[in-house]
Amino acid sequence: MSGLLSVDPVLRLYCALDATFPDSPSPCHPAYPGGTLAVALDAVPWSHTVEHRPALDQSAYSHVMDRVALPLVRVFRTLLDRYGLVAVDGALAVELSSDLALTGRVVLRDQAGVGRLSEASDDEKANQALVARGVRVLCELLSGLVRQVESARLSLPRSPGSTAALVEHVGPAELNTLFEGEFRFLRPETEKLLRGTDLGRHAHSVSTEQDAVLRQVLDRVTERAVARRRDPGLSPATVLIDLDFCAMVPHERVLAAAQQVAGVRAGAPNGIVELASPESLPILPCYAAAGWEHFLELTGLRRRYPEVDWAEVHLDFYYACFLPWERLRSDSLTPGLVRFVRAVERNGGAVVFNTARRDRTRAHTRHVLDSGGLLTQRVLTTPDSHQRSAPELKVENLGKLTDPYVVAVFDDLTDNREALAVEAPDAIQIAVELPGFTSDRARAERPRDGAAVVAGFEMLPRPVEPAGEPPVPALSHVRIVDRLPLADLSNHPIAAEHGVRLTEADALALIEQLMSVADREAEAAVAHAERNLHRQLRAVDDEAMRTVTRLHHMLTRRQFCRGPSSSYPLEIAVRDMLGSVSAGEPITMVLPGLPIKQCRNRLKAVGPLPDLAELGFLIRLRELWQAMRRIHEPGIRVHILTDGLHFQRNPPALVHAYSQHIRRYVHMIGMAEVIDVSDMDEVAARRLGPRILEQRDSIEAGYRDRLWDAFAGLDIATDPVGTVELIVARDPSRGWHRKSADDTLSLLDVRSVITSMLNMVATEAPAGVDRQQWSVAVLSDIYNVTDQGASSELLAGRRDVLRQTLDAAVHYVAAASADRALGYERMFSSRVRLTVNTPPPGRCGFAGLGGSELLPWQGTAAVDHHGMLATDFAISLTDRGFLPVFAPMLGARQPWFMVPTPVVHVRDRAHGAQLDSSFAAGIRLRRR
């Protein structure tokens, strides 16, 4: 246990081991160097502890949930699911600081009270008994917590008619919500062990096989989108999904139909009592004939009622499932469907629901889809008077699509898949078998058509670590927030209290280390270039050309170059640099960027100031300068054009604070004479004349008016996906500028800008609600503005973000179009045009942090377990087990960077959390 607590990110935050008095629980809590106390749950002075909570706007009950209930559940889940350990001793304590504040850790009083699951297959019953005992202990602890909080009168929210008897599943709704969130994505073997326990209904898993199949489909969709960029005449990828027992779960209909056919009939004079209470059955039937037969076999009903005409019962059951048609409105969407559909569309494909339902059911079908936020996807139904089989009708539906390129077919019935496979032979065939229902195959058999089998549309939110091993905190390598499974990521409210706090000397030493390594790399890069270019340079007579060739080679090295080096060929470098080299002057480089830290919803970054990622970006510029001046002694002069107020309506105070801090970094690394950081509009006024800003305002307003005129009557907050498609059809901006030989800027369109800005606008959380968690709720399903399970406040938050995003997109496109119209490119005549994005022809991509895809201001600085500095999203770093490192230059609220949990140690009470010395000594910039 001591070893696990030092390396496991979750146990490190939420668990400690008891020690002999007067020693504190171990490991020492980094935020309380004076020591802490282990106090039995029934001895906690609740009224006193909540008065010392750090966030006074948080309710007392929420504070107790976060600091006691959540740790209890997370420690239980982590021990069981990751290590096969079960806490079966109820003698757990909570940890209090010396002033009796809750630290957020639970204390194991006796390690002997932790049992280990057996790996022997014949010990399954013993393992189930051990887990059931551990669950009872957990539930009793939480029940006791509820009672104590109630007696302390901490304004406990309660569900109507609920009691504190948690083991009877009638505890407060907040605890059930906690269980639902914490027992998701278990290993399948863990979920199996929890079945039949008091927490069984909350246990949830997704197989790695299902995850792999769904990702394979998305990869096929992406491949088609890439091919379409090369050949726009190709049709987009289409994913066909069936409805009943596939995209939709007809649970209520099946229960009602079973009860309807349970009455008295020949062979059952007292009725079929099992069907009268179908919720007690071990499995429910689908209405396919083969599935019905499997249902009779698995439940033993045919053996129990041998005289019943089960074919007749099946026919009655089939019609009862559909009639009256109004019953179709009770269906629910299969878990993961909405997110999967969004992923297909985001990757450039389309989802089409292909069903044998009649045309007369379209309104009922659309009700279920619309209620889940799927407002625009096409639904193919069949004629009301059809007399043909479902496979024939589904094939006929394909004729309603224009030249479809089907990459995948999801259907629960083998006959349907086989028929569609003839028409779409290259499509991936996938059998959907919903948990709790029979299918048209015996579960021990493989599907007759060899289809892959999935239980739904959910994918795993993070890589699965081998059982028994602590996770290795790794970066997500995701470039867009909406590619993260936001709703499934774990939030750790107490992580900041376990972070490292560097002294000013420590922080300055790290900066010096980064610069020293970068300077050595620059020197090595020049020596390497001379060896590589030896033969090429022998054929060049002009010394200035030889110098430009060396400089071009340096700019396009992997540590500096972003994107293909072919975008910046030697002939362009000659145009940009030969004049300066011949005149013996510094080479001018212009780099737009460093606008503002994207922190306004706390998903990307949690604070407004530039962190170690931006500093690393500037040190990479220093490395480039060191290399270039060894080739051309006057070196380079870099003009960074900040655009935090140019393209977006950001709060000016945030932009100015960010830019001021960037300039401080420039001075700290000794580059004040080389790097100039200036606002883009200020530079334009100096170089293009003072009237340019007035002209730009007028032109930009004109473009903005034309865009709003084109979008008149559209409200993105009522039908987001459909409105975006209408925006694409009406968008006039693509025709405003023709690309000339000198215009290397790619044309903008409002839809692409909406996509990029959707996760940048501010979210306004209700009072007492954590901003980050509110942003997760809003943005995890931002297009679902009809969600019947969401509060009116949450739906209003989504609509507000959507409207803000469209407004920001219109503003951005108008601003960029005004720049083109006024020739903002003329601000610098002879210069190297650097870009932090994938470079268009004629520009040189600059990789400020090597191969890190995410730009510094788009996320939070992080050092991976190899010591490489990169950028990732704050919400993902927290979920993956990174801890914050604070430094004096940013203060105690915003991390300077984040590191994997295992490299943080608490050696003694005097110093708190510290970085492993060997890890700290190896922190450096990425090479590629």
Side-chain angles (χ1 to χ4, degrees), residues 640-654:
I640 296 179
L641 304 182
T642 65
D643 52 12
L645 296 172
H646 185 79
F647 292 113
Q648 303 174 44
R649 295 191 181 98
N650 289 312
L654 291 184

Side-chain angles (χ1 to χ4, degrees), residues 33-34 67 103 166 236 257 296 313 515 538 570 605 616 710 759 809 839:
R67 300 267 168 160
T103 70
L166 193 64
L296 297 179
V313 177
M515 289 194 296
R538 282 191 304 183
L570 179 59
N759 299 293

Side-chain angles (χ1 to χ4, degrees), residues 135-157:
V135 169
R136 284 196 298 274
V137 168
L138 175 66
C139 291
E140 287 167 2
L141 287 168
L142 289 169
S143 295
L145 173 66
V146 170
R147 289 192 296 270
Q148 291 160 45
V149 171
E150 281 184 316
S151 63
R153 299 185 179 181
L154 298 184
S155 302
L156 174 67

